[in-house]
Amino acid sequence: GAVVSQHPSRVICKSGTSVKIECRSLDFQATTMFWYRQFPKKSLMLMATSNEGSKATYEQGVEKDKFLINHASLTLSTLTVTSAHPEDSSFYICSASSGRASYNEQFFGPGTRLTVL
Amino acid sequence: QQPVQSPQAVILREGEDAVINCSSSKALYSVHWYRQKHGEAPVFLMILLKGGEQKGHEKISASFNEKKQQSSLYLTASQLSYSGTYFCGTDNSEAAGNKLTFGGGTRVLVKP
C-alpha cells in the first residue's frame, strides 16, 4: 500500500511556542490530505481538509489561526500549532489520498504525539 | 453526524467469527473501514459504495443493509493479527467525496 510519513513522531514544547508537523506521501501524489486529532482510546476527529494549491477547509470549532495548514505540493502538507498550550496536547494524525472521490481511500501517517508543558 | 459502532469491544478466540456494525441515522453514500493497532497508523481495509461497488482486501468482507444506513464488517476465522481497533468512516453524499466522519471504534482482541 501507499506510504505516508509524519515528522516528528513526538514533540515536547513549552507553552506559547509553535510546533510544525509535516505529513508526506512517499510514493504517490496526494491531491488531498486530512488532519485529525485523536484522544486516547477515542475516535479520529477531523480538523481540516487540505487540498494542494488551495486554502484548507476547517471543521466547525477548529481555529484556523491556531492550526495553520499548508499544502504546498502534491506530497507535502504541514500543520503548525501556533502558541501552543497544554490543552493542545494530543495525538495528531494525517492522511493522504490520491483523489477526492468516495472511492479514494485515505492512507494514514503514523501520527505525532504533541505534549505542551 | 458521527456513526455509531457496535459492539464497543469484543474478545474472541483464534478461529472464531465476529461482526462489527456501523450505523447512521441517514442513508450512507460510502463506508470506509480501517483497523488501528496500538501506537500505529490506521490501515485501510475496505470501501463500500452505495451503488454496490466494493474495494478492499480479499480476506475482509463487509456489507450494507437494505436501507444503506448500516454497514457490517465480518471477521471470519479470526487470526491473532486481527486484534486492534476497527473504525468505520462514513459520508452521506457523493458531494462529500472522501471526507469522512469516523465512528467511536470497536476494540477487538483475538486470543490464542
Side-chain angles (χ1 to χ4, degrees):
Chain A
V3 180
V4 176
S5 69
Q6 265 186 257
H7 179 79
S9 57
R10 292 177 180 270
V11 57
I12 300 173
C13 69
K14 292 182 179 179
S15 186
T17 60
S18 295
V19 175
K20 181 186 282 189
I21 302 169
E22 291 186 349
C23 177
R24 292 182 184 273
S25 58
L26 300 184
D27 52 3
F28 69 102
Q29 293 187 326
T31 307
T32 304
M33 287 184 172
F34 301 90
W35 286 96
Y36 296 88
R37 191 169 176 177
Q38 186 175 34
F39 293 101
K41 296 184 179 180
K42 296 293 184 182
S43 185
L44 298 154
M45 291 177 51
L46 180 64
M47 299 175 64
T49 303
S50 168
N51 296 302
E52 188 268 338
S54 62
K55 290 184 178 180
T57 304
Y58 291 82
E59 294 302 299
Q60 192 172 10
V62 178
E63 298 177 58
K64 60 181 181 181
D65 294 330
K66 182 168 186 61
F67 298 99
L68 300 178
I69 291 172
N70 183 275
H71 194 159
S73 75
L74 285 172
T75 59
L76 173 64
S77 177
T78 59
L79 168 68
T80 301
V81 183
T82 62
S83 186
H85 288 94
E87 57 266 29
D88 299 325
S89 298
S90 190
F91 191 63
Y92 292 87
I93 190 164
C94 72
S95 72
S97 180
S98 59
R100 300 178 60 184
S102 294
Y103 57 79
N104 290 123
E105 63 268 53
Q106 297 182 28
F107 297 99
F108 285 84
T112 296
R113 185 159 302 284
L114 170 64
T115 302
V116 184
L117 302 176
Chain B
Q1 190 170 17
Q2 186 179 31
V4 177
Q5 287 186 235
S6 63
Q8 289 186 325
V10 60
I11 300 174
L12 54 158
R13 293 284 179 190
E14 198 172 5
E16 292 181 340
D17 302 337
V19 180
I20 302 171
N21 297 308
C22 176
S23 300
S24 172
S25 59
K26 296 182 179 181
L28 300 169
Y29 186 81
S30 76
V31 178
H32 297 220
W33 286 97
Y34 291 83
R35 178 174 62 218
Q36 184 179 29
K37 294 183 180 288
H38 182 69
E40 299 181 8
V43 173
F44 168 72
L45 296 176
M46 167 162 282
I47 295 174
L48 294 173
L49 298 178
K50 179 181 179 181
E53 303 93 325
Q54 294 189 9
K55 179 179 180 181
H57 294 278
E58 293 179 359
K59 294 188 176 181
I60 299 289
S61 64
S63 67
F64 259 129
N65 74 343
E66 195 174 301
K67 291 185 178 180
K68 300 290 189 289
Q69 287 182 263
Q70 178 173 295
S71 175
S72 298
L73 183 73
Y74 304 97
L75 304 180
T76 305
S78 60
Q79 303 172 18
L80 297 177
S81 60
Y82 288 9
S83 293
T85 301
Y86 289 75
F87 291 102
C88 67
T90 62
D91 67 67
N92 296 104
S93 71
E94 185 176 9
N98 59 350
K99 175 185 162 184
L100 304 173
T101 302
F102 282 89
T106 295
R107 280 184 284 168
V108 173
L109 176 61
V110 181
K111 292 186 173 181

